[in-house]
């Protein structure tokens, strides 16, 4: 997940990846005993007010198709560099990467397919990989979305010719299924390397591709394994220890349910540090991003656990689902904070939604109890920061269901941030569906309200 202001995204499909927990666990050796956190007092989000601070309304972008949507991931990217945020997303069922261009504030062109035959694309990120000043796209592909032991993952780079025509380049193929990929110069040689979260099935890893030359060909990318554990969901690149070199953080799901930090010496040599773990194998890790929540100049980590599949093989919410953040206290050390309980929590992003100078958190729900006849469920939640990192939940909407991916950007003339969500539907009931939805302020926010 990028920590660029106003452009935030969280990874793909742990909702499906959690299906891997329905079979035998990996034969990999387990790391040292994990530390179980002690949850602090939390808020019951089901009793939260329904957006008491400025009303948000949603509208569908693009075109609804005949089949239920499989939006594995979306990202807000100014793809044509015209100063307006666009939406780029992965349609994981149709193997497509699609662009919805914003032509004026709140005005969008018809969607445009940028690439086909992407073999289970589940994550998209932006980076200028060839240094020509144009925005290229990094596409993480699983081969197939549902659990599979084969090495069928592919790392694609879609190279932009400057006219938003894209040529696919494969830089790694026949590998553990890839669910997240980020670009950074990890060894200080001036070339962008790649960090991979490879969920695999029972043979996944966290790895990085060291770039040996300017051409985007497999021979120029040397793979280094950082952590031989299956279940990686997100990799996040940021300077976490303050030494002005890019470090890596990774979220590992399945039976591990852990967060790792890989401090970098600036030359591409990494240490391995586990910063948190749960002993609950059904904890349901579902998403992680980075942002400086408390304004101290150090990037923190925001983390959701809300995966609806687990060892119990019963899809749905769990009592322990929710939102938390890891406060970066310096030197590669983090302090755990539970923010709130939130059934089915996914895709946490940081954004100053009420524009009071403090970063809030928005998260969606992919696994609430949608069969609840009273529909006492939540689809999208705003956790409002009072400036002292006390987060008050406000319900933005109770529908549509199964919003697995969330990003934020600017889509209105007043400059207020908006939220974009993507729906992914594999489990009934198949109603209240959405493909790509934009959520914007319907009336001015009143920051004086409690």
């Amino acid at each position: 997940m990028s920590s660029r202001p106003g452009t935030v995204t969280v990874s793909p499909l742990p909702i499906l990846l959690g299906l891997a927990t329905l079979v035998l666990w990996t034969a990999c050796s387990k790391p040292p005993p994990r530390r179980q956190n002690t949850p602090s007092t939390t808020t019951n989000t089901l009793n939260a007010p329904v957006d008491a601070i400025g009303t948000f309304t949603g509208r569908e972008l693009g075109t609804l198709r005949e089949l239920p949507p499989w939006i594995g991931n979306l990202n807000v990217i100014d793809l044509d560099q015209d100063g307006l945020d666009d939406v780029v997303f992965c349609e994981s069922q149709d193997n497509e990467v699609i662009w919805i261009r914003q032509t004026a504030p709140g005005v969008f062109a018809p969607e445009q397919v940028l690439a086909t035959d992407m073999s289970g694309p589940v994550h998209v990120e932006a980076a200028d990989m060839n240094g020509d000043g144009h925005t290229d796209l990094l596409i993480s592909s699983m081969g197939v979305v549902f659990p599979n032991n084969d090495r069928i993952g592919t790392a694609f780079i879609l190279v932009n010719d400057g006219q938003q025509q894209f040529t696919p380049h494969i830089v790694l193929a026949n590998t553990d299924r890839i669910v997240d990929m980020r670009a950074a110069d990890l060894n200080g040689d001036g070339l962008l390397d790649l960090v991979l979260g490879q969920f695999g099935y029972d043979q996944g890893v966290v790895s990085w591709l060291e770039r040996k030359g300017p051409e985007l060909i497999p021979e120029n990318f040397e793979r280094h394994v950082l952590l031989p554990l299956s279940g990686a969901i997100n990799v996040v690149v940021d300077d976490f220890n303050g030494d002005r070199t890019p470090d890596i953080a990774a979220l590992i799901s399945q039976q591990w349910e852990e967060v790792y930090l890989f401090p970098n010496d600036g030359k591409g040599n990494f240490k391995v540090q586990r910063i948190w773990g749960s002993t609950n194998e059904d904890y349901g890790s579902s998403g992680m991003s980075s942002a400086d929540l408390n304004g101290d100049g150090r990037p923190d980590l925001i983390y959701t656990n809300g995966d609806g599949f687990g060892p119990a093989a019963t899809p749905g919410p769990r009592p322990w689902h929710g939102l938390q953040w890891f406060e970066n206290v310096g030197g590669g050390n983090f302090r755990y904070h539970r923010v709130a309980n939130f059934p089915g929590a996914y895709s946490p992003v940081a954004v100053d939604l009420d524009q009071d100078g403090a970063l809030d958190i928005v998260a969606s729900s992919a696994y609430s109890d949608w069969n609840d006849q009273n529909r006492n469920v939540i689809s999208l939640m705003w956790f409002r920061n009072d400036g002292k990192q006390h987060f008050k939940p406000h319900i933005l909407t109770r529908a549509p269901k199964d919003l697995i991916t969330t990003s934020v950007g600017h889509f209105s003339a007043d400059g207020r941030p908006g939220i974009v969500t993507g729906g992914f539907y594999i489990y009934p009931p198949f109603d209240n569906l959405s493909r790509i939805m934009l959520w914007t302020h319907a009336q001015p926010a009143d920051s004086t309200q409690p």
Side-chain angles (χ1 to χ4, degrees), residues 19-39:
L19 286 167
T21 61
L22 305 183
V23 300
L24 295 176
W25 298 120
T26 175
C28 297
S29 298
K30 289 191 177 183
R34 293 162 287 174
R35 174 172 55 85
Q36 172 72 26
N37 85 83
T38 301

Side-chain angles (χ1 to χ4, degrees), residues 202-431:
D202 57 11
Q203 78 286 352
V205 298
V206 177
S207 63
W208 71 287
L209 302 182
E210 181 180 4
R211 191 167 169 189
K212 300 290 189 176
E215 293 84 8
L216 300 176
I217 56 177
E219 293 78 10
N220 279 346
F221 289 86
E222 180 181 352
R223 184 170 177 254
H224 304 278
V225 172
L226 296 176
L227 186 69
L229 288 182
S230 58
I233 292 177
N234 283 122
V235 287
V236 181
V237 178
D238 221 324
D239 179 10
F240 290 106
N241 58 8
D243 65 356
R244 299 185 180 182
T245 61
D247 308 308
I248 302 168
L251 174 59
I252 311 297
S253 63
Q254 298 211 92
Q255 78 271 36
W256 314 108
E257 303 294 347
E258 295 173 330
V259 178
Y260 282 84
L261 178 69
F262 304 92
N264 180 11
D265 68 357
K267 300 179 181 179
N269 300 309
F270 293 89
K271 296 180 180 179
V272 181
Q273 176 185 344
R274 187 176 55 220
I275 63 174
W276 185 86
S278 172
T279 56
N280 180 355
E281 293 184 353
D282 193 22
Y283 200 64
S285 294
S286 56
M288 186 172 73
S289 59
S290 68
D292 182 7
L293 281 180
N294 56 5
D296 64 359
R298 294 188 288 259
D300 309 304
L301 291 168
I302 313 168
Y303 162 60
T304 52
N305 63 304
D307 185 14
F309 288 94
T314 304
R318 307 286 193 264
W320 48 82
H321 282 175
L323 172 69
Q324 41 261 303
W325 69 289
F326 300 100
E327 179 186 2
N328 188 341
V329 296
N333 298 307
F334 292 80
R335 181 180 296 124
Y336 173 92
H337 300 272
R338 180 78 168 187
V339 174
N341 298 326
F342 185 18
Y346 263 73
S347 195
V349 295
V351 55
D352 184 4
L353 204 58
D354 55 1
Q355 297 185 302
D356 65 352
L359 279 179
D360 311 307
I361 303 172
V362 170
S364 60
S365 176
Y367 265 95
S368 286
D369 186 3
W370 304 114
N371 290 303
D372 180 358
Q373 296 301 313
N374 296 320
R375 284 292 192 263
N376 188 30
V377 295
I378 302 166
S379 291
L380 192 63
M381 182 75 79
W382 168 24
F383 299 89
R384 189 187 186 213
N385 186 353
D386 68 355
K388 298 180 180 179
Q389 292 69 64
H390 302 130
F391 296 89
K392 184 174 182 179
H394 296 269
I395 299 170
L396 296 182
T397 184
R398 296 185 182 275
K401 67 188 290 283
D402 292 2
L403 301 182
I404 196 173
T405 178
T406 304
S407 191
V408 297
H410 294 91
F411 302 97
S412 60
D414 62 11
R416 291 194 177 100
I419 306 163
V420 187
T421 59
F424 197 103
Y425 303 98
I426 61 165
Y427 192 78
F430 291 109
D431 56 10

Side-chain angles (χ1 to χ4, degrees), residues 165-225:
Q165 301 297 317
F166 290 84
T167 302
H169 293 250
I170 295 175
V171 297
L172 181 66
N174 304 315
T175 189
D176 306 321
R177 297 184 307 159
I178 303 171
V179 299
D180 198 359
M181 176 166 53
R182 312 297 172 104
D185 181 5
L186 297 175
N187 55 7
D189 64 357
L191 296 173
L192 287 179
D193 310 299
L194 296 171
V195 181
L196 305 181
Q198 299 188 247
F199 189 96
Y201 185 38
D202 57 11
Q203 78 286 352
V205 298
V206 177
S207 63
W208 71 287
L209 302 182
E210 181 180 4
R211 191 167 169 189
K212 300 290 189 176
E215 293 84 8
L216 300 176
I217 56 177
E219 293 78 10
N220 279 346
F221 289 86
E222 180 181 352
R223 184 170 177 254
H224 304 278
V225 172

